């Protein structure tokens, strides 16, 4: 099976059936990937060009990783930072992820 980054790289730039099918293959593989594989994919793709990965793929990838490791404060913080990076629409979710991370680390954010 191809890696997530290989599947991502195989997505054509032009809209159409070939793009839809390639995105489908990526999402299918992403759905059953480990958090480590998902983070490796994100690190590789985002290191090339932070705007290269569409927001919906980034959100899905972080969501799937967080669902598998809900008690990982580092992962929760990374997901929150990415949500904040792409715009204010998800700031409330980013805030909740940050609160969860801080709670897991035993920090009280009420005094902020």
């Amino acid at each position: 099976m191809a890696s997530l980054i290989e599947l991502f790289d195989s997505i054509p730039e032009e809209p159409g059936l070939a793009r839809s099918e390639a995105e489908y293959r990526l999402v299918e593989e992403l759905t059953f990937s480990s958090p480590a594989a998902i983070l490796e994919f994100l690190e590789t793709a985002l290191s090339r060009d932070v705007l290269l990965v569409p927001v919906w793929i980034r959100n899905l990838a972080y969501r799937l990783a967080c669902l598998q490791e809900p008690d990982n404060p580092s992962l929760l913080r990374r997901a929150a930072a990415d949500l904040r990076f792409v715009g204010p629409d998800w700031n409330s979710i980013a805030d909740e992820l940050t609160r969860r991370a801080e709670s897991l680390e035993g920090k009280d954010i009420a005094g902020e």
Side-chain angles (χ1 to χ4, degrees), residues 52-101:
L52 181 66
V53 182
V55 172
W56 70 269
I57 292 177
R58 293 161 75 145
N59 288 352
L60 177 62
Y62 276 113
R63 177 71 173 158
L64 291 169
C66 287
L67 284 171
Q68 293 181 72
E69 290 191 6
D71 296 331
N72 181 335
S74 175
L75 174 58
L76 297 173
R77 287 182 189 285
R78 286 179 63 176
D82 195 72
L83 286 171
R84 285 190 185 94
F85 174 78
V86 297
D89 292 345
W90 297 288
N91 282 356
S92 62
I93 296 168
D95 292 344
E96 177 58 30
L97 290 171
T98 301
R99 279 192 291 276
R100 284 180 42 209

